[in-house]
Amino acid sequence: MWAGGIGGSLFEYDAVSDRWKRIEPTDLLKTGGIHSITVTKEKVFICRDNGVSIYDLPTGQWTP
């Protein structure tokens, strides 16, 4: 499960530890508010005020 927070923060829920983990955004669009999140097997697409950020799950890398 994924959630967006105030200021463009992104969180992933870890069911094993029953905690939310903050994903540190290093992409250029990180300051844009989050409107929607779509998750595939390997990527998380974040629609922001200023564009779309893509988080690659296997590598933990961002693509604006």
Side-chain angles (χ1 to χ4, degrees):
M1 183 181 324
W2 293 81
I6 296 172
S9 299
L10 182 65
F11 298 89
E12 177 185 17
Y13 180 70
D14 182 355
V16 174
S17 65
D18 192 30
R19 292 180 182 240
W20 287 94
K21 173 183 161 186
R22 183 170 190 247
I23 305 296
E24 293 296 329
T26 57
D27 66 298
L28 300 174
L29 305 176
K30 65 184 175 186
T31 58
I34 296 174
H35 294 277
S36 64
I37 301 170
T38 299
V39 182
T40 66
K41 287 184 180 181
E42 294 191 359
K43 300 202 185 288
V44 180
F45 297 85
I46 300 99
C47 179
R48 299 180 182 269
D49 293 333
N50 51 359
V52 175
S53 298
I54 302 167
Y55 182 67
D56 186 75
L57 292 169
T59 65
Q61 300 294 313
W62 287 92
T63 304

